[in-house]
């Protein structure tokens, strides 16, 4: 019996990784979650490895170099907010069209989301190329940090189109239920980044030593290559959404619908990421060592948050497709099952972080101050991981239904009304230092989970039309 179960598990695993397309509105819910979650978890794990690899190599350059990444990432998360907001709309609408058995409608959405991605990233690129020093200065970077790291900021933000298109096209794959394709694009980009990082950071052969800027070069090349691969598959692959040149026509109606649905998604992430920027600004008051420790801890946290986000994305796709197939109760059941699996994973991770925080941060830095505050951040922020799991899954379920407005309201209250004032008051006014910021993060994320669950149970998301 055990042998048969093991064989069945590995058979499903191969099916998930290979990307075999099935009707997610008819298969068993457990199987549907598994087939979507495995590649989505691997995809998000690859995204988080991006961050860890950069920190691993850059930490060998200088503390300022690590802090530069932290400040730049704080700013570029605004780009992520735009990309993720649009990608949530793409996933929700593509999933709904697939559930309605309307592949032509899914194609129209895909083309318009690519147009929007190119437009948004072009504007951001100009700002990043022209004003990298000013960006780091506004974030509180010391002059020595700006002089050493501005090229990293310039290259990463200037080449942000690779980030935006990677997010958007993968969102289309996820909405169509072809999560394995999104996974393979991240494996490709991550593999290239891992190979190129040390070459461009430290120099090799005819390639000079670029220092922290080399990490941005490697990352941009890796992501850019993955985008070319995505486009190739969209034109020539055997997938539910397959494009031709004749499809690249501006469709104002579809574009407006995309923008309408994405506004809530963009809003919720801008609220969250701008909150993170202000938190980084508060942390920067305590010096580069504290900032570097916090940056390392956040990268490590993202290593586990990304897989959990991947699992939550499975819930978003199942909600979208099942609502498209007029099966709202099946959509809700899918969410609670996914949240339970996510909670098991997050609790396991939180135990590891609580016990081995100093050891983990020590892989990236031996500086006593960096180690101290990195470990404290890791332990305090992850203590409420159980609630994080439910909050993340339910929030993505709202987004998958096209109800991006509800999470926006929740984020606004929890991040801007609660988290930021609490962090400033405890860290600066009460003089708790960085610990006040760490506590604010844990409490805000827990509050999000509680409010989201209560709101989700009301069931109004089942009525949303996209």
């Amino acid at each position: 019996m055990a042998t048969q179960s093991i064989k069945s598990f590995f058979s499903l695993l191969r099916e998930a990784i290979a990307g075999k397309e099935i009707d997610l509105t008819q298969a068993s819910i457990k199987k549907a979650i598994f087939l979507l979650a495995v590649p989505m978890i691997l995809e998000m794990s690859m995204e988080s490895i991006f961050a860890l690899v950069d920190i691993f190599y850059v930490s060998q350059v200088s503390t300022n170099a690590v802090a530069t990444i932290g400040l730049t990432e704080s700013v570029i998360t605004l780009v992520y907010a735009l990309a993720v907001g649009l990608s949530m709309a793409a996933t929700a609408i593509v999933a709904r069209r697939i559930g309605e058995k309307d592949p032509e409608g899914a194609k129209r959405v895909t083309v318009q989301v690519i147009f929007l991605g190119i437009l948004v990233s072009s504007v951001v690129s100009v700002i990043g190329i022209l004003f990298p020093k000013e960006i780091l200065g506004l974030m509180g970077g010391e002059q020595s940090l700006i002089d050493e790291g501005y090229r990293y900021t310039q290259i990463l933000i200037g080449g942000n189109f690779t980030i935006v298109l990677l997010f958007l096209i993968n969102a289309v794959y996820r909405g169509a239920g072809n999560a394995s394709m999104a996974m393979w694009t991240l494996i490709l980009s991550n593999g290239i980044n891992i190979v190129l990082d040390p070459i461009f950071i430290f120099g090799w052969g005819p390639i000079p030593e670029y220092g922290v800027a080399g990490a941005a070069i490697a990352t941009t090349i890796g992501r850019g290559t993955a985008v070319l691969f995505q486009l190739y598959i969209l034109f020539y692959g055997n997938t539910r959404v397959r494009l031709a040149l004749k499809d690249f026509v501006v469709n104002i109606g579809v574009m407006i619908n995309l923008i309408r649905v994405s506004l809530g998604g963009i809003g919720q992430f801008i609220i969250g990421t701008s909150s993170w920027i202000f938190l980084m600004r508060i942390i920067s008051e305590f010096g580069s060592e504290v900032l570097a420790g916090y940056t390392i801890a956040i990268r490590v946290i993202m290593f586990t948050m990304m897989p959990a986000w991947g699992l939550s994305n499975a819930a978003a796709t199942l909600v979208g497709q099942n609502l498209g197939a007029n099966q709202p109760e099946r959509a809700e059941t899918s969410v609670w099952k996914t949240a339970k699996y996510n909670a098991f994973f997050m609790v396991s991770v939180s135990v590891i972080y609580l016990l081995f925080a100093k050891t983990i941060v020590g892989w990236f830095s031996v500086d006593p101050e960096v180690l101290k505050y990195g470990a404290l951040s890791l332990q305090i922020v992850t203590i409420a991981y159980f609630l994080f799991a439910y909050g993340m899954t339910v929030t993505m379920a709202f987004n998958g239904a096209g109800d991006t407005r509800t999470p926006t309201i929740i984020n606004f209250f929890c991040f801007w009304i609660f988290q930021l004032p609490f962090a400033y008051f405890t860290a600066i006014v009460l003089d708790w230092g960085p610990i006040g910021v760490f506590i604010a993060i844990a409490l805000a994320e827990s509050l999000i989970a509680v409010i989201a669950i209560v709101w989700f149970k009301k069931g109004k998301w089942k009525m949303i039309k996209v």
Side-chain angles (χ1 to χ4, degrees), residues 204-222:
W204 183 75
I207 297 173
E209 179 181 336
Y210 287 100
V212 66
I217 295 170
T219 297
T220 302
I221 292 173

Side-chain angles (χ1 to χ4, degrees), residues 179-192:
S180 70
M181 191 54 65
M183 173 195 72
W184 285 114
T185 59
L186 263 294
I187 289 175
L188 173 63
S189 60
N190 200 43
I192 293 171

Side-chain angles (χ1 to χ4, degrees), residues 36-52 80 84 87 91 166-167 170-171 174 179 182-187 190 223 269 299 301-314 345 392 396:
L36 283 173
V38 168
M40 286 181 177
I41 289 171
L42 290 173
E43 176 198 352
M44 293 300 161
S45 296
M46 291 300 104
E47 186 65 38
S48 58
I49 286 173
F50 247 116
L52 285 181
Y80 281 115
V84 172
S87 73
T91 296
L166 196 63
F167 262 99
N170 272 356
R174 287 193 295 270
M183 173 195 72
W184 285 114
T185 59
L186 263 294
I187 289 175
N190 200 43
R223 285 188 166 125
F269 274 85
R299 288 299 182 94
I301 288 169
M302 290 306 293
F303 183 73
T304 46
M305 290 292 273
M306 283 294 190
W309 196 7
L311 193 53
S312 301
N313 278 334
F345 168 72
M392 190 183 306
M396 290 306 294

